[in-house]
Amino acid sequence: FSKNMRSAKIMLSENLQIGVIGAGAWGTALARLLVNNGNSVQLWCHEAETRQDILTNHLNSSFLPEIPLPETLHASTDLSDVVRNSKILVASVPSHFTREIAKKMRPEITHEHIVVILSKGIEQHSLALMSEIYAEELNNLPKLAVLSGPTFAREVALDLPSAAVLACADEETGSLLQKSFHSARFRLYRSTDLIGVQLAGAIKNVIAIASGIADGMKLGLNSRAALICRGIAEMSRLGAVMGGSAETFMGMSGVGDSVLTATGTLSRNHTLGEKLGQGLSLEKCLPPGGAVAEGVRNAVSIHELAERHKIEMPICNAVYQVLHEGISCAQALKQLLEREPPDEEMMFFPNLNNNTVHADQQK
């Protein structure tokens, strides 16, 4: 056996030691899932109060209120200890904290570690994907994977049927991770497209804000469906030139996550957009209690990526202008509706290896 195969077989034969970094709703929900799948899990909490709540009351009252957590779920505020004692690290911090957390993880990271990235976003200014940040800050030591899809944390924690996709370039590592996460109530598909899965996860947040704005303005179900469809077209165009696969954008992390986030009442991005559409200022629309609507930051990075790659993304650009340039939702809508009539509908490029974008494919 190769070294990788030997490591995978050893880990499969043992009770897996998994560290979940970030005790927000999504990190906590997956920690619960992993414990119930028979893994030994330690959840890193930024706040001591959250740790105490988990250990004493077996609850995370701040982010998943009233959902009991397994008594065997461990919690810690010592990040170095969690990293040192876990082979699989599930990173669930907000995307804008990724580089800071990666730097803190670095002293304990070895080539035997696996990092599963849950964070959805693109770093501002550098325009780095989350996997690129971890690769850079962790000196390419651990194997990297990305988990994404149409999954509201609360529903996963309630054991409602859900599905997601796990992207990992290494087959043995992907198989190992699938065995750890997959359950009768959490169906996990496999992929090797880390770029596409991450871009889809970031862009869908901006689409969700656009959908929420439309709902807040009471533009009707027709307009919401059109926004989601054309938003996925924008996602696929940018993804194509950046090396993503067309199948990814039609799958769980693309269409699936876009539909959920752009329509679901539990979506922070949709809720923010809806309030914007009702005329509230951005400051009054931001989620309470430390929760994050990633689309607000994602909109900046996606706008810069579209300009870098010369891709027209009118819906994402309209959201960017509303959030960061001060134009009104009514002005943004007027700009979208007054564009030139479109030619033939174009969702994907026939040749994803060809980075040439024709003008008639950008409408």
Side-chain angles (χ1 to χ4, degrees), residues 211-225:
S211 174
I213 290 172
D215 287 345
M217 296 176 72
K218 301 188 182 305
L219 299 182
L221 299 179
N222 292 351
S223 65
R224 184 171 72 181

Side-chain angles (χ1 to χ4, degrees), residues 98-106 133-134 137-138:
T98 293
R99 193 173 293 277
E100 175 186 344
I101 289 294
K103 288 178 185 293
K104 292 180 179 179
M105 292 166 58
R106 174 63 189 92
I133 294 173
Y134 280 109
E137 296 296 341
L138 303 182

